[in-house]
Amino acid sequence: MAAALALQGHEKDLGGGFTVRRLLPAAQRRSVGPFVFFDHFGPVTEQPGANHDVRPHPHIGLATVTYLFEGAMMHRDSLGNAQRIEPGAINWMTAGRGIVHSERKPDDLRQRPYVNHGLQLWVALPAEKEEAPPSFVHTPAASIPQVQAGGTATVRVLVGEAFGVRSPVEPASPTLYLDVALPSGGAIDLPPLAPELALYPVQGELRLDGVPMLPYQLLVLAPGTAARVEAGGGAARFVVVGGEPVGPRHMYWNFVSSRKERILQASADWEQGRFDPVPGETEFIPLPPTRFTPAEPMS
């Protein structure tokens, strides 16, 4: 079997009853390629009156990668960007030396129920780009290339290059992110597309090299191995993440860095109000009471 390690997600409440399944970082594995953070939320029905808005909060040293299967959210950031995020689009926010953003329920959805379902991932920036200027790039769903592979699989190449097509999204380092759909009984043979790869089932019954893929498990593949993924009794969907590793990283709250002192500085900057604000926002998430210490393990 191609899977060298199975990471079981654990539930984490982000506030107000909004629960996600967190796969990275994990005790057994801190990263896959440049990916250092992997949250799966939903599918959950958002009800009128439920407040799962994510108030303004800061990031440094990473890029957030937001991808929805269903639903919508409103992104606003300290650069003045305001972007409605909808299914199929890739939203790549480079924090670099520092950015603040919020993610809220769109106003037109506040009074009616809807399903929200997606992935929130972080990639660590290479050391030489950790202090890059912040930016936000929205790539609409229609601009994401799609290809048929293996006769039955539909592959959306969200980031990177695979099966002869390349995504227009420009990552900071070699990165791969695929959304793969299979019909009932369909299959796809995945070559070793990157030095580090992992698979995550999103929908339906799937088998990896004949072994069932369990829900909410991130399956890290052995380096350099090919893998065959098959759908069981219905349509199925999974994602592939990976790329080239960028080296160990310190992580604390929303901060990622190769340098301990940079995380301490970012913590102090947020606590003392030195980050640029998000225009029109008056709320913010305070620094957690548990503080970063230099003894924190690296990813």
Side-chain angles (χ1 to χ4, degrees):
M1 181 179 171
L5 180 65
L7 302 178
Q8 185 66 47
H10 64 277
E11 291 193 348
K12 186 172 179 63
D13 192 329
L14 299 185
F18 183 59
T19 302
V20 301
R21 287 169 291 276
R22 182 156 297 168
L23 286 302
L24 287 176
Q28 310 98 305
R29 181 89 182 211
R30 306 291 293 177
S31 61
V32 177
F35 290 93
V36 295
F37 182 93
F38 189 119
D39 269 5
H40 177 203
F41 56 90
V44 61
T45 300
E46 295 282 346
Q47 299 291 348
N51 184 7
H52 294 153
D53 288 355
V54 180
R55 295 167 292 159
H57 57 281
H59 291 286
I60 66 161
L62 58 86
T64 64
V65 190
T66 307
Y67 186 65
L68 295 181
F69 302 113
E70 296 180 84
M73 63 177 63
M74 194 68 196
H75 164 97
R76 292 184 176 85
D77 61 45
S78 51
L79 301 176
N81 296 300
Q83 176 65 53
R84 185 187 179 98
I85 296 175
E86 295 185 317
I90 279 288
N91 301 272
W92 185 285
M93 186 183 76
T94 299
R97 62 179 177 243
I99 197 169
V100 179
H101 75 132
S102 64
E103 294 164 312
R104 296 186 180 272
K105 182 184 293 189
D107 289 340
D108 61 299
L109 296 179
R110 290 193 177 276
Q111 301 308 314
R112 65 180 181 88
Y114 68 99
V115 175
N116 221 19
H117 185 201
L119 298 173
Q120 178 70 272
L121 313 182
W122 299 353
V123 297
L125 299 177
E128 67 274 13
K129 297 181 180 179
E130 285 184 316
E131 297 299 318
S135 63
F136 176 81
V137 179
H138 170 79
T139 303
S143 297
I144 299 295
Q146 182 171 295
V147 64
Q148 297 299 120
T152 59
T154 301
V155 181
R156 303 189 76 235
V157 182
L158 309 180
V159 184
E161 183 175 5
F163 301 104
V165 298
R166 177 182 289 274
S167 169
V169 177
E170 295 186 10
S173 64
T175 304
L176 185 70
Y177 189 7
L178 309 178
D179 178 3
V180 184
L182 290 171
S184 178
I188 184 172
D189 290 306
L190 292 172
L193 296 166
E196 296 185 358
L197 286 175
L199 312 182
Y200 183 74
V202 174
Q203 172 192 340
E205 296 179 7
L206 290 157
R207 295 186 299 273
L208 172 61
D209 294 336
V211 179
M213 297 171 65
L214 300 181
Y216 315 134
Q217 277 194 350
L218 184 68
L219 299 176
V220 182
L221 303 186
T225 59
R228 182 174 178 82
V229 181
E230 301 167 291
R237 190 176 196 176
F238 68 98
V239 296
V240 181
V241 297
E244 292 185 8
V246 296
R249 290 293 184 272
H250 298 280
M251 289 184 65
Y252 166 70
W253 192 38
N254 300 313
F255 305 140
V256 172
S257 182
S258 60
R259 297 180 293 125
K260 303 171 189 176
E261 62 272 15
R262 185 65 183 90
I263 290 182
L264 292 170
Q265 182 62 59
S267 300
D269 288 345
W270 181 244
E271 200 164 41
Q272 296 172 25
R274 291 195 288 259
F275 276 83
D276 291 336
V278 177
E281 291 274 17
T282 57
E283 298 180 301
F284 66 93
I285 300 176
L287 195 73
T290 301
R291 301 305 166 92
F292 173 79
T293 62
E296 292 288 334
M298 296 186 78
S299 296

